[in-house]
Amino acid sequence: MSIQTTTLPILRQENTLMIIQSAPEVYDRNSLSSQKCKEAGEALLARIELAGMNDSLDQECAAYIEKTKKTLKVMNERRSSFTKLFDQIRSEFTSMENAIDPSKVTSVPFLVQQSRNAYAAKKRAEEEAKRQEELRRQQREAALIKYRQEVEDDIRRQFDQLVNRDINFITSLNQGLTIENYTVTVMKIKAVSDTLPIDWAQSIASYAPNPYGFPASEIKEIVNRIFPNLRHQYKAEIGEYKDTVLDNLPSKYRELEKMAKADAEEKARLKAELEAKEAADLQRIEEERKKKEAEAQAAKEMQKQASEMSSLFDVAKIAAPASYQPKTSVKLRVSPINPQGVLDILGMWWSKEGQYLPVDELIKMFKKQISFVEKLANDKDSKELISSANVRYEEEVKAK
């Protein structure tokens, strides 16, 4: 593809040479006109300083100003072709540069950059959508894991209540043992089953909060998973305590016989020894239960920490893009959606910076707004003024 260039008429060699050759003469004539105009004005200023302004001198000054305007117009006409040449040259060079300047909205590189920006935004949006979807999936998975753990903890609490109830029942039978009801008590204790009731597992319910509305089948699944362990634990705890009590019943019966034959003092001593022995047995069994619970809790904590560590790796995996991502610079741009939004922006700027700036700098920044207020103040039909101790109006008098 060939590149064609065109030359502006003013940039043609013959035109350029003619204009440049006339430049010294134009410069000299304009310089002389400027000098004479200045000298005439300085003479008027000297007379004003010497004698002060009067009607006659004011008329001379008015004529001088009018003549100055005409001189300025002639000077401008003389140099226009000369300065126009340089304006055209500058314009042509800047036009060439602007055509490939990525910051200019009409340039081809700008359009290329816009395409890149749009593609980068699309890729970023797609990646963010994937990240959010994966994050939601992980949050739901984490919620499910937490829910399952809370359900399991709730079921185990109810299991502990069941174990305590049955142990208390055996304890009450043991504590109520007498010589007269010995046979019946032995039969009742032996009748206590050390098998976890199946109907208990089937009717169990959990009151753990369920934020995601996971199906009730989750509870059933958890019960089925932990039921073998609970059944083994129930058999171990109830069976052990039941056997301990049954093993001690014959010796307790003999102690009761001794107590029945003893005097009051000996009876009180034997009773205290018996109660102390039974309390020690209960304490031993309770301590063993607490030890097992602590070991189970420590195992759950280790499992929880491992799960949290796995979640950290999952989060890091979310943050890393899976495919090519163009290098981007992401900045927030303020875009007011209504006039009130502009006022909000000005309010933040004023509170953070504006109120600390010098007045002259603020006047430059708000020149357009100040001009509007001045227009209202000079409206002949409906003048409006600001009534404030922070604003004053000054008259500007100009001679015509």
Side-chain angles (χ1 to χ4, degrees):
M1 182 178 66
S2 61
I3 300 176
Q4 296 181 351
T5 60
T6 58
T7 306
L8 292 174
I10 197 169
L11 294 181
R12 290 174 184 164
Q13 185 175 2
E14 61 274 16
N15 293 338
T16 304
L17 184 60
M18 180 184 66
I19 294 171
I20 292 177
Q21 286 176 345
S22 65
E25 180 186 355
V26 171
Y27 177 83
D28 290 341
R29 293 179 66 184
N30 278 9
S31 177
L32 182 61
S33 297
S34 176
Q35 184 64 31
K36 287 183 176 180
C37 186
K38 284 169 55 181
E39 290 174 354
E42 289 170 355
L44 286 173
L45 289 174
R47 290 170 60 191
I48 293 170
E49 186 177 355
L50 181 64
M53 184 67 83
N54 54 52
D55 292 346
S56 176
L57 193 52
D58 181 64
Q59 291 175 8
E60 289 185 48
C61 289
Y64 167 76
I65 295 296
E66 195 62 32
K67 188 175 181 181
T68 298
K69 292 178 181 178
K70 292 178 181 180
T71 301
L72 186 61
K73 182 180 179 182
V74 172
M75 290 173 63
N76 186 273
E77 291 173 351
R78 287 195 200 118
R79 58 89 178 165
S80 62
S81 59
F82 181 71
T83 55
K84 184 178 180 181
L85 171 64
F86 289 99
D87 290 341
Q88 290 283 3
I89 293 173
R90 183 178 65 251
S91 175
E92 189 65 17
F93 278 117
T94 55
S95 177
M96 295 175 193
E97 295 164 2
N98 291 342
I100 61 170
D101 187 347
S103 66
K104 304 300 182 182
V105 297
T106 57
S107 71
V108 172
F110 177 85
L111 298 177
V112 172
Q113 183 63 45
Q114 289 300 102
S115 297
R116 290 199 69 224
N117 293 349
Y119 180 69
K122 176 175 174 291
K123 292 282 287 184
R124 177 180 168 82
E126 290 173 351
E127 201 64 35
E128 180 64 16
K130 290 179 183 178
R131 194 184 73 83
Q132 289 296 333
E133 181 61 30
E134 178 62 18
L135 185 60
R136 282 192 292 270
R137 186 194 68 77
Q138 290 190 15
Q139 287 174 341
R140 193 176 189 281
E141 184 65 25
L144 179 58
I145 293 173
K146 181 182 179 183
Y147 173 66
R148 286 172 175 167
Q149 187 60 58
E150 290 177 348
V151 169
E152 182 176 335
D153 292 344
D154 190 22
I155 292 173
R156 289 188 180 276
R157 279 193 294 269
Q158 296 180 60
F159 171 78
D160 290 340
Q161 292 173 358
L162 176 66
V163 172
N164 289 334
R165 185 199 71 182
D166 292 347
I167 286 179
N168 290 338
F169 176 69
I170 296 173
T171 300
S172 65
L173 290 174
N174 184 34
Q175 290 176 343
L177 180 70
T178 63
I179 296 175
E180 292 76 12
N181 68 6
Y182 177 78
T183 302
V184 175
T185 300
V186 171
M187 292 176 60
K188 287 183 177 179
I189 294 176
K190 286 182 177 180
V192 175
S193 175
D194 59 0
T195 302
L196 181 62
I198 297 178
D199 60 344
W200 176 86
Q202 293 175 341
S203 62
I204 196 72
S206 173
Y207 301 97
N210 186 358
Y212 277 83
F214 298 114
S217 58
E218 287 289 341
I219 299 178
K220 186 73 173 177
E221 201 175 298
I222 294 168
V223 173
N224 292 339
R225 177 170 55 81
I226 67 175
F227 186 74
N229 291 335
L230 296 181
R231 183 172 55 194
H232 176 76
Q233 184 178 347
Y234 185 86
K235 186 175 184 64
E237 293 189 16
I238 298 298
E240 181 182 351
Y241 184 60
K242 175 181 167 183
D243 292 343
T244 300
V245 171
L246 287 173
D247 291 343
N248 292 333
L249 284 182
S251 63
K252 183 176 181 180
Y253 181 78
R254 290 190 293 270
E255 292 293 331
L256 291 174
E257 285 183 325
K258 285 183 183 180
M259 290 169 58
K261 297 175 182 179
D263 57 24
E265 183 178 350
E266 180 67 11
K267 185 176 182 179
R269 185 185 67 79
L270 292 172
K271 183 179 180 181
E273 288 180 354
L274 182 61
E275 290 177 348
K277 181 177 179 300
E278 290 181 342
D281 288 339
L282 280 173
Q283 183 177 358
R284 176 183 58 80
I285 292 173
E286 184 63 21
E287 287 176 352
E288 289 178 355
R289 286 187 64 205
K290 288 183 177 179
K291 181 180 178 182
K292 291 178 181 178
E293 288 179 1
E295 291 173 351
Q297 184 64 32
K300 282 198 294 186
E301 284 296 324
M302 289 183 64
Q303 184 179 1
K304 180 181 177 182
Q305 290 177 4
S307 177
E308 289 176 350
M309 185 63 68
S310 176
S311 296
L312 287 176
F313 283 112
D314 288 341
V315 170
K317 184 172 66 177
I318 293 175
S323 60
Y324 163 75
Q325 287 291 314
K327 293 181 180 180
T328 57
S329 173
V330 181
K331 293 182 180 180
L332 295 178
R333 297 294 185 189
V334 181
S335 180
I337 58 178
N338 53 43
Q340 181 61 42
V342 176
L343 191 60
D344 294 338
I345 294 170
L346 286 174
M348 174 175 280
W349 171 81
W350 182 259
S351 65
K352 300 293 183 181
E353 181 182 26
Q355 63 177 324
Y356 306 111
L357 295 177
V359 175
D360 56 347
E361 189 171 341
L362 290 171
I363 290 174
K364 292 179 183 178
M365 296 176 68
F366 291 94
K367 186 176 181 180
K368 184 176 181 179
Q369 290 74 21
I370 293 173
S371 297
F372 177 79
V373 173
E374 290 177 346
K375 181 180 178 181
L376 292 177
N378 292 292
D379 193 320
K380 295 179 180 180
D381 298 327
S382 57
K383 178 185 293 188
E384 290 186 47
L385 301 178
I386 298 174
S387 178
S388 170
N390 301 312
V391 177
R392 70 168 180 264
Y393 288 86
E394 299 174 344
E395 289 186 343
E396 182 185 58
V397 181
K398 289 185 178 180
K400 291 187 177 181

